Amino acid sequence: MANSLSIPLILIISQLYLQIWFLKIDAKVTSIIVFGDSTVDSGNNNYLPTILKSNFMPYGRDFDGGKPTGRFSNGRIPTDFISEAFGLKETVPAYSDPAYNISDFATGVCFASAGTGYDNLTSRVLNVMPLWKELEKYKEYRKRLKGYLGTNKAEEILTHALYIISMGTNDFLENYYLLPHRQLQYTVEEYQNFLTGIARTFIKQIYKLGARKISLTGLPPMGCLPLERTTNFLFGRDCIQKYNNVAKDFNNKLQALVSTLSKELYKLQLVFSNPYDILYEIIQKPESFGFENEAFACCGTGEFEMSYLCIELNPFTCRDANKYVFWDSFHPTEKTNAIMANYAVKTTLSVFQ
Ligand SMILES: *[C@@H]1O[C@H](CO)[C@@H](O)[C@H](O)[C@H]1NC(C)=O
Ligand SMILES: *[C@@H]1O[C@H](CO)[C@@H](O)[C@H](O)[C@H]1NC(C)=O
């Protein structure tokens, strides 16, 4: 009698144990899926007819022993460090890169395109991929992954993947403040609401397709980018406070969006990842992070060089990028990227671990 009871009991207990064990596996981040601009593009622009590229030296000179990949930095970008922190690959491959196949993309894939933004018009300035096209590529990827792994396994990966969205700086600096169209149409506050509305639609779209872990990234103190400081030469190359204020206002709107959607969308884990404060602190106190220069970039004179203007033979380019906060006039060095990514992992992305 005792024996016949204890066998089913053991079965029940072991089943429970297995379920708990599987739940734990389930909770893990299976993959990193990236949408956005040059802050997170790992090389998609290499395959676009745009002048906004970085697949030549000195870009990538500290990447894997010296390899220009199309990342806008001397080495890895934040999403690479985030992927590594979650125990996944050390780099997130670009979806357009023919060197990678669907088996590589199963644990991480990047659809980002440097120069793009929430606004369709922004992507047209430099002829890069608009956000809706990043979404189309993602849909194509889903089909390919299902074909490769089967529907169940693919959906398990896609549901437990961490989706990272990072863009917005170009909407203001390459579009709103540079071209007349949007300024004639919107005040800067209205434009922020317009962009926030697009972010809302986008999050709902990927949620509907099955995304359940999403990190929406805010804007950096964009008035402190070396290129913007250079345009502020009359004021001693100070940070442009107006642009920093716009970044802060827009971040507040994104934060509010995250709160609303978190309540609205069932079982969605959505966080707002804010790079503003940590980057601003680095810029205010570069020495305490081991930097020697925060106002000029490493590449060339450090005042304006970016993309094709950042040339390998420029004798002014710095020797040790680790001493610089910025690599080119618009993008941080690998060291800054690592600090910002680790900060994001510790403060906000840890909820996914
Ligand atoms: C992907 O590429 C690797 C080598 O780079 C190869 O071993 C693998 O079979 C390829 N997988 C598919 C699905 O093509
Ligand atoms: C951007 O363009 C796409 C494709 O034409 C369109 O479907 C989408 O509605 C546009 N977005 C906005 C906010 O106008």
Side-chain angles (χ1 to χ4, degrees), residues 99 101-104 148:
N101 60 30
I102 192 65
S103 122
D104 301 307
Y148 174 57

Side-chain angles (χ1 to χ4, degrees), residues 120 132 194 198:
N120 281 336
W132 64 266
F194 171 66
I198 297 168

